[in-house]
């Protein structure tokens, strides 16, 4: 019987499958670290699709890679040369790569769950963690004795175990039952503290404060609303400033802070990394990877290793360190860090030190604050945050009969126009092209209807363009 897969293709697959998968897995980690924060900042379907695809493929690639290495370790004896003529040193390197897959399975700090339902699957991830750890240990044992990469493998394995533990714990804390328990526990502690202050006559409601700090403190109350424990703030005693104490801009800023905190608690590792245990584990994880790189570079004799595989290993090391550094800076400049450092005690040295660091961070966090943008030649202003620093999408979907009959999806109105967009509008008006837009709208609408490409346009989040074209076409038909 004729073999449908040529032997040359099989050979290429056998030689490059693990290398390709591990580099693909590293690329997916980079995509998630850099682009996952944009999920809360935009409703663009194309960006969301990229993040969703990377989120699903990241686990698949890591699991598939561990499976390939396990199969290779089972089929290849630990001799100087295997039956496939692969040096034993390269088999040791493959066993070393299995620990990097464990590191990737831990996922980045920027996303642990794409949807709320993913948090309820923390037990599944726990079982997956156990099986993947057993597989990594099995692969490592098959490379013994005489494994030159013994210490680097152990160090990266420790880092991978920590990363995976952080992800499982973040999913567990964000699960609905645990989230509800933590909200209720926080409210009980608040009531106990409030009654204690009330008995001592020390209850003084604050009438001013930074909206970022107030927003983070209000988060304990917003958690109660999210889990349906309360319906409003009216029944609660709270000494923080009320919304009426702030200007409209700062009141909207508080709401923006709340939305950002809700997203980070439910979809990222922020609850784990911002604890004392999380900081210690992150320090141990980073030091383990750096120590493994140092041992691999300075003490491991690389004679006998495939040079390309050595380059791939260095790429994995540098990628892991770079992604950890990026995650560290994201953590430092987050709202959580600012509020944790903010201290009302200005008398102690520790309080003064924390307040000084918080003041420095405030200069960077100010980039996240919404600003007024003039639109339509100064006819009105829009309060918006720059795209890269948004804490939420900046829009709420609504229903419109006109959009319903014209089959147009809701869009963000008004949209903040960039300087390039306004410059193009001026050029179009100066050249007189705007006079041709009605005719072009009619022709474009007919082409869109003929080709049935509404779904493709909606995928790129440009359905508002189709809506405007249809409106323009409808008006021209009425007037003609």
């Amino acid at each position: 019987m004729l073999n449908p897969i040529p032997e040359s293709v099989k050979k290429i697959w056998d030689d490059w499958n693990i290398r390709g998968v591990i580099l693909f897995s590293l690329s997916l980690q980079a995509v998630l670290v850099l682009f996952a924060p944009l999920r809360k900042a935009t409703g663009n379907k194309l960006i969301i699709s990229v993040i969703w695809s990377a989120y699903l493929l990241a686990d698949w690639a890591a699991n598939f890679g561990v499976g390939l290495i396990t199969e290779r370790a089972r089929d290849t004896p630990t001799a100087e040369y295997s039956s496939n003529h692969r040096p034993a040193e390269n088999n040791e390197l493959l066993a070393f790569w299995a620990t990097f897959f464990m590191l990737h399975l831990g996922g980045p700090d920027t996303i642990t769950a794409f949807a709320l339902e993913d948090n309820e699957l923390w037990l599944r991830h726990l079982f997956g963690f156990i099986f993947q750890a057993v597989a990594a240990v099995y692969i490592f044992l098959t490379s013994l004795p005489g494994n030159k990469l013994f210490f680097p493998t152990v160090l990266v394995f420790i880092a991978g175990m920590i990363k995976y533990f952080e992800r499982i714990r973040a999913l567990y804390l964000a699960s609905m039952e645990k989230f509800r328990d933590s909200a209720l526990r926080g409210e009980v502690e608040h009531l106990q503290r409030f009654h204690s202050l009330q008995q001592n006559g020390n209850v003084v409601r604050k009438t001013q404060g930074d909206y970022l700090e107030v927003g983070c403190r209000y988060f304990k109350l917003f958690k109660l609303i999210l889990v349906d424990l309360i319906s409003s703030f009216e029944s609660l005693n709270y000494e923080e400033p009320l919304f009426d104490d702030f200007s409209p801009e700062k009141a909207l800023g508080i709401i923006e802070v709340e939305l950002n905190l809700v997203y980070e608690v439910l979809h990222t590792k922020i609850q784990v990394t911002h604890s004392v245990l999380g900081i210690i584990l992150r320090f141990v994880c980073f030091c383990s990877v750096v120590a493994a790189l140092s041992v691999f570079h300075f003490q491991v004799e690389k004679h006998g290793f495939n040079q390309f595989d050595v380059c791939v290993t260095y790429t994995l090391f540098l990628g892991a360190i770079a992604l950890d550094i990026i995650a560290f800076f994201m953590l430092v400049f987050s709202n959580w860090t600012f509020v944790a450092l903010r201290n009302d005690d200005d008398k102690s040295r520790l309080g003064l030190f924390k307040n000084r660091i918080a003041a420095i961070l405030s200069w960077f966090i100010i980039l996240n604050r919404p600003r007024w943008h003039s639109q339509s030649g100064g006819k009105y202003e829009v309060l918006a945050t720059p795209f890269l620093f948004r804490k939420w999408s900046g829009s709420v979907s609504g229903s419109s009969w006109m959009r319903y009959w014209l089959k147009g999806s809701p869009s963000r109105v008004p949209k903040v126009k960039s300087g390039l967009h306004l410059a193009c509008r001026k050029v179009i008006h100066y050249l007189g092209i705007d006079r041709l837009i009605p005719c072009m709208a009619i022709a474009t609408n007919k082409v869109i209807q003929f080709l049935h490409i509404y779904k493709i346009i909606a995928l790129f989040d440009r359905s508002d363009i189709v809506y405007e074209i249809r409106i323009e076409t409808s008006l021209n038909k009425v007037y003609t």
Side-chain angles (χ1 to χ4, degrees), residues 173-393:
L173 294 176
S175 61
M176 185 53 62
E177 182 179 356
K178 186 62 179 179
F179 186 75
R180 183 185 180 91
D181 291 343
S182 65
L184 187 59
R185 191 183 308 111
E187 177 58 18
V188 170
E189 294 175 356
H190 163 70
L191 289 177
Q192 290 176 349
R193 185 176 64 87
F194 184 83
H195 289 312
S196 176
L197 292 174
Q198 194 175 34
Q199 290 176 357
N200 297 329
N202 296 327
V203 178
V204 178
R205 191 178 70 83
K206 301 177 182 178
T207 58
Q208 59 182 355
D210 186 84
Y211 82 92
L212 180 59
E213 181 181 1
V214 174
C216 291
R217 293 183 180 178
Y218 266 135
F219 179 63
K220 296 179 180 179
L221 301 181
F222 273 83
K223 288 172 66 175
L224 298 174
I225 295 179
L226 290 175
V227 295
D228 295 329
L229 291 177
I230 61 173
S231 59
S232 65
F233 294 155
E234 296 178 358
S235 59
L236 295 177
N237 295 317
Y238 206 64
E239 65 270 21
E240 294 299 330
L242 302 176
F243 280 99
D244 295 339
D245 299 325
F246 292 95
S247 63
E249 295 87 347
K250 290 187 176 181
L252 290 174
I254 292 177
I255 297 175
E256 189 177 61
V257 170
E258 300 303 328
L259 294 173
N260 179 58
L261 295 179
V262 169
Y263 174 84
E264 290 183 343
V265 166
L266 297 178
H267 296 278
T268 70
K269 292 183 180 180
I270 196 69
Q271 293 190 90
V272 177
T273 55
H274 251 282
S275 62
V276 176
L277 177 62
I279 294 174
I280 295 174
L281 291 178
R282 183 49 53 89
F283 179 77
V284 173
C285 178
F286 182 77
C287 291
S288 297
V289 176
V290 174
L293 174 59
S294 302
V295 173
F296 179 79
H297 182 73
F298 294 106
Q299 297 185 8
V300 174
E301 178 59 42
K302 301 173 186 62
H303 178 72
F305 289 125
N306 184 292
Q307 292 300 315
F308 182 80
D309 291 344
V310 174
C311 294
V312 170
T313 305
Y314 277 117
T315 302
L316 294 173
F317 270 122
L318 296 178
I321 293 173
L323 295 179
D324 273 351
I325 292 175
I326 294 173
F328 171 77
F329 279 104
M330 288 183 176
L331 181 66
V332 169
F333 295 108
S334 66
N335 296 340
W336 294 83
T337 304
F338 173 79
V339 175
L341 292 174
R342 193 70 176 266
N343 199 327
D344 294 333
D345 184 12
D346 295 332
K347 297 180 180 180
S348 64
R349 293 183 179 180
L350 181 60
L352 288 173
F353 178 72
K354 287 184 176 181
N355 287 332
R356 287 176 182 175
I357 297 179
I360 295 174
L361 289 178
S362 65
W363 287 98
F364 296 94
I365 296 178
I366 198 173
L367 297 173
N368 299 344
R369 298 186 177 183
R371 297 178 178 84
W372 289 103
H373 299 267
S374 178
Q375 299 294 307
S376 299
K379 292 182 179 179
Y380 57 86
E381 291 185 334
V382 177
L383 186 64
T385 307
F387 176 72
L388 295 178
F389 302 103
R390 283 184 194 167
K391 299 181 179 68
W392 69 302
S393 62

Side-chain angles (χ1 to χ4, degrees), residues 115-132:
L116 293 179
E117 291 77 7
D118 295 333
N119 294 319
E120 307 302 325
L121 303 178
W122 67 269
L123 193 58
R124 178 190 295 182
H125 285 276
L126 177 60
F127 280 105
F129 166 69
I130 295 173
F131 287 119
Q132 293 298 335

